[in-house]
Amino acid sequence: MLSTLFATIVAALHVATALRLVCYRRRGSRIRRGIAVLASLLIGVLLCNAVDIILFHQPVSIWQGALSILLLILVYRSRGNLAALLRPTP
């Protein structure tokens, strides 16, 4: 029961991260095709992983949970801007 709850939480974290990336507003910044493709791939991977966890009952480790929390925090701090995450300087 506890592992099912943990897996559901991890899947929800993946979906929340993907939704934050989808809801990013450019507000006049230029479009970088490479970053846009990378963001699309990350959204797809996150959503496919969430579906995999929920529908096919894939086991989830504590490290996957920690990584999903870390990724969610980073994406929310950058307000969904993947380019800001990849920029080497603050």
Side-chain angles (χ1 to χ4, degrees):
M1 160 109 172
L2 193 59
S3 64
T4 305
L5 178 65
F6 183 66
T8 305
I9 290 171
V10 171
L13 289 171
H14 286 322
V15 171
T17 304
L19 284 176
R20 183 59 184 128
L21 287 169
V22 166
C23 294
Y24 170 67
R25 294 181 133 185
R26 260 188 333 118
R27 299 185 197 259
S29 62
R30 65 183 187 171
I31 296 175
R32 297 185 202 167
R33 297 292 178 205
I35 300 294
V37 168
L38 190 61
S40 298
L41 287 173
L42 183 60
I43 291 165
V45 166
L46 286 168
L47 292 177
C48 286
N49 197 10
V51 167
D52 203 31
I53 290 170
I54 295 298
L55 293 182
F56 300 116
H57 306 289
Q58 292 295 321
V60 178
S61 71
I62 190 75
W63 304 113
Q64 286 174 320
L67 185 63
S68 65
I69 290 171
L70 179 66
L71 186 60
L72 180 69
I73 290 169
L74 289 174
V75 167
Y76 267 84
R77 284 194 64 192
S78 70
R79 291 184 227 114
N81 188 359
L82 191 62
L85 283 176
L86 300 175
R87 199 172 298 132
T89 58

